[in-house]
Amino acid sequence: MRDILSSLGLQGVSPGAFGKSVLSSGSSSELAVKSPINGEEIGRVRVAGGEEYERVVSDSVEVFREWRKVPAPERGEVVRRIGLALRDSKAKLGRLVSAETGKILAEGEGEVQEAIDIADFAVGLSRQLYGLTMHSERRNHRMYEQWHPLGVVGVITAFNFPAAVWAWNSMIAAVCGNVTLWKPSELAPLTAVAMNSIAREVAKGYGFEGVFSLVVGNGPDLGQKIAADRRVPVVSATGSCRMGRAVAKTVGERLGRTILELGGNNATIVMPDADMKLVTAGILFGAVGTAGQRCTSIRRVLAHESVCNEVVSSLVAAYKQVRIGNPLEKGTLMGPLIHSGAVDAYRAAITRVPKEGGDIVYGGNVLPGMPSALYVEPTIVRAKRGMPLLAEETFAPILYVVPVKDLAEAIEVNNEVPQGLSSSIFSRNMQNVERFLSASGSDCGIANVNMGTSGAEIGGAFGGEKDTGGGRESGSDSWRQYMRRQTCNINYGDDMPLAQGVVFS
Ligand code: NAD
């Protein structure tokens, strides 16, 4: 790991403030980064102080003034090169993501691939930032809309996707003509410094190093500073619903814009006609993958009562095969949780299960004798509709299986939680599928068929409804959130006709 860190420029204490240049003086406070895999310190990052924050933001504003004038396809060329540079470092970055977050290597590398994919997507987008043309009601007039960059895009990210979420935002924001100010999770700042440095190095070659800025904080302070800062017109915040409420309040007070990507509480529906092979494989990855620490992790299985027992027994058999251990080792499917607070939340939920009328059918324990105290058993609970636990997102691999009598009840249960991120149905019946996807079906931002709720592709818009925050990132037309729309009216005639036929003389 030491070799990987130094080849990514992360030896000693890494700087934590990057504006037009790397700012290394200022704050003396350091963040020690410990790997959840074995509790060992893998690096240190200097926390950005108040003065450094000011420098970084004023640099960002200055860089934006020039960057916005660069033609979008040229900005795309910079992003294309960033994609290539990320490809060159994919294996190293993937290992770093795994070491810092505890996710298995395949997922660590997959996350870096996601950043590469979004860079490719953004390159194409750089030639497609189109507006509409409308017919004017006034003679000799033309009306159309165009899109301009917004300025400094604040990006606050969660620990569990320390590379991809920044890339979703910053690659798109860059081709749109914005600069990005990133405040990563204090739990995964090394990946942030490494990713951001790669992007900066490429941009530096074009004279625009400061398009990708970074400030590392320790706790919510810097996130709140960004939220309150009028020089940051849009704040994209990914994390818990609690954080989203705090950010939305602060940004809302200054009438700024937010893109909120918050907690999920995702369910999958299993109908009697489902292909059980797909059900087991889809739920296993969705519930156990990333140790249940994905916003899109499956937390609830809403199984038709006629197949509920079969679903539970096939999941128990599959869970028994899951190898838990060092996520850097081949064959491991589940690594540790991120920190002791996450283990406490797991334990607290498990303790509540019997009190709320649930039954633990598999797992439920923190594993002894592991390289750190953060390894837990993936857990299956037979649950009942109405248990308060079912409305909460416990960020751990706990799966609640709830029997339902029919599709109508399954959709009701799917929708009766505060969050609205992802959902899915397993069924080979077209009526079931179409009802689930209809306006009276799932109320989530993502609705999948014959697959689990996690593992989104970058081509689609990603995000959810209700307490998940309503934001959309990544593919489709999400780029519009990073731009301002301008409606233009041009009079090429010799008269001054007014709209709605108003005569003013
Ligand atoms: P978190 O809310 O604890 O922290 C997320 C980020 O917000 C961190 O950078 C943190 O420093 C910052 N932050 C925390 N409180 C803040 C405040 N009051 N003001 C400003 N910034 C603040 O989340 P986490 O534990 O890192 O991540 C797990 C959560 O993120 C889960 O709820 C998960 O569902 C969610 N998540 C959502 C998505 C999505 O796209 N919807 C993706 C990944 C994670």
Side-chain angles (χ1 to χ4, degrees):
M1 183 47 63
R2 191 156 298 158
D3 290 349
I4 287 178
L5 289 171
S6 70
S7 71
L8 290 167
L10 296 168
Q11 56 277 71
V13 183
S14 302
F18 299 77
K20 272 203 302 194
S21 57
V22 181
L23 309 177
S24 48
S25 57
S27 149
S28 56
S29 158
E30 288 174 13
L31 200 56
V33 184
K34 290 188 179 155
S35 172
I37 297 174
N38 52 14
E40 279 174 19
E41 186 175 307
I42 51 172
R44 282 183 170 257
V45 183
R46 201 179 306 282
V47 170
E51 272 175 38
E52 287 167 302
Y53 174 83
E54 279 307 313
R55 267 279 298 284
V56 169
V57 179
S58 56
D59 279 2
S60 298
V61 170
E62 210 179 302
V63 173
F64 168 65
R65 292 205 181 104
E66 294 307 313
W67 181 244
R68 66 184 166 181
K69 295 185 209 157
V70 176
E74 276 182 37
R75 299 192 295 245
E77 175 58 13
V78 178
V79 168
R80 190 180 74 81
R81 297 274 177 168
I82 294 172
L84 293 178
L86 291 175
R87 279 177 172 86
D88 289 343
S89 296
K90 179 177 163 183
K92 286 185 272 187
L93 289 166
R95 264 190 113 72
L96 176 57
V97 170
S98 292
E100 212 171 22
T101 64
K103 59 173 77 173
I104 61 169
L105 202 48
E107 293 185 69
E109 287 184 357
E111 181 168 351
V112 182
Q113 185 59 46
E114 211 171 325
I116 294 166
D117 291 346
I118 199 73
D120 289 356
F121 180 92
V123 176
L125 192 62
S126 70
R127 292 181 184 270
Q128 297 177 71
L129 303 168
Y130 51 78
L132 299 173
T133 304
M134 302 85 178
H135 284 260
S136 170
E137 67 186 49
R138 289 172 279 186
R139 194 171 289 253
N140 297 330
H141 277 58
R142 185 161 77 83
M143 176 163 51
Y144 77 106
E145 63 185 24
Q146 59 181 355
W147 295 83
H148 289 311
L150 276 164
V152 183
V153 175
V155 176
I156 299 171
T157 55
F159 80 85
N160 63 334
F161 280 93
V165 171
W166 163 77
W168 291 358
N169 284 279
S170 65
M171 296 299 112
I172 306 265
V175 296
C176 291
N178 303 293
V179 302
T180 301
L181 169 61
W182 184 9
K183 207 296 288 172
S185 165
E186 54 277 22
L187 300 170
L190 293 173
T191 303
V193 172
M195 293 291 290
N196 198 62
S197 298
I198 288 172
R200 290 174 64 82
E201 199 51 39
V202 173
K204 189 178 175 180
Y206 293 83
F208 283 104
E209 187 175 0
V211 167
F212 302 99
S213 295
L214 173 74
V215 282
V216 173
N218 188 5
D221 295 1
L222 282 181
Q224 276 300 317
K225 251 183 188 303
I226 292 172
D229 199 327
R230 296 188 73 88
R231 295 168 293 180
V232 184
V234 57
V235 179
S236 168
T238 301
S240 58
C241 299
R242 174 189 43 74
M243 176 281 290
R245 282 198 178 84
V247 167
K249 189 165 173 239
T250 309
V251 179
E253 269 166 16
R254 62 175 172 95
L255 299 179
R257 293 193 198 175
T258 48
I259 304 169
L260 298 176
E261 301 285 348
L262 312 175
N265 186 353
N266 317 294
T268 190
I269 295 170
V270 182
M271 297 305 289
D273 54 79
D275 179 333
M276 282 300 160
K277 189 165 60 47
L278 298 187
V279 170
T280 310
I283 296 177
L284 185 69
F285 173 67
V288 175
T290 331
Q293 298 173 109
R294 282 187 183 222
C295 52
T296 50
S297 291
I298 300 178
R299 312 229 172 264
R300 300 173 295 144
V301 173
L302 315 177
H304 189 276
E305 56 199 13
S306 66
V307 290
C308 197
N309 287 342
E310 188 185 348
V311 169
V312 170
S313 50
S314 116
L315 283 174
V316 168
Y319 271 48
K320 283 182 182 161
Q321 306 300 315
V322 172
R323 198 168 129 192
I324 305 166
N326 186 334
L328 295 171
E329 278 171 16
K330 218 168 167 217
T332 301
L333 283 188
M334 200 182 111
L337 294 181
I338 186 69
H339 51 37
S340 59
V343 176
D344 291 346
Y346 168 87
R347 271 208 196 93
I350 297 292
T351 310
R352 279 171 59 190
V353 165
K355 295 181 189 154
E356 294 188 14
D359 195 10
I360 295 168
V361 291
Y362 186 85
N365 299 297
V366 178
L367 288 166
M370 301 299 279
S372 79
L374 304 177
Y375 294 77
V376 302
E377 285 178 314
T379 301
I380 301 172
V381 175
R382 273 184 189 273
K384 294 191 184 98
R385 186 177 177 182
M387 280 170 58
L389 271 170
L390 294 180
E392 298 170 23
E393 181 198 43
T394 303
F395 220 51
I398 305 175
L399 185 67
Y400 302 101
V401 184
V402 184
V404 288
K405 64 178 187 305
D406 54 22
L407 180 65
E409 186 183 16
I411 291 173
E412 267 176 41
V413 181
N414 181 74
N415 295 352
E416 70 189 7
V417 296
Q419 311 83 350
L421 180 53
S422 190
S423 57
S424 79
I425 186 169
F426 285 89
S427 173
R428 282 178 289 199
N429 176 306
M430 177 238 186
Q431 278 190 329
N432 289 338
V433 169
E434 291 293 339
R435 283 177 186 157
F436 170 75
L437 296 173
S438 74
S440 50
S442 162
D443 64 359
C444 296
I446 297 167
N448 295 335
V449 176
N450 291 325
M451 63 172 83
T453 58
S454 70
E457 296 180 24
I458 60 101
F462 182 91
E465 305 299 335
K466 305 190 293 186
D467 284 11
T468 303
R472 290 296 184 278
E473 281 175 5
S474 200
S476 186
D477 62 354
S478 306
W479 60 269
R480 291 173 186 225
Q481 298 191 86
Y482 305 90
M483 301 199 87
R484 60 185 170 87
R485 184 196 311 244
Q486 190 169 61
T487 304
C488 307
N489 297 284
I490 300 162
N491 178 0
Y492 58 89
D494 301 316
D495 301 317
M496 184 60 71
L498 299 176
Q500 293 87 44
V502 171
V503 176
F504 197 70
S505 64

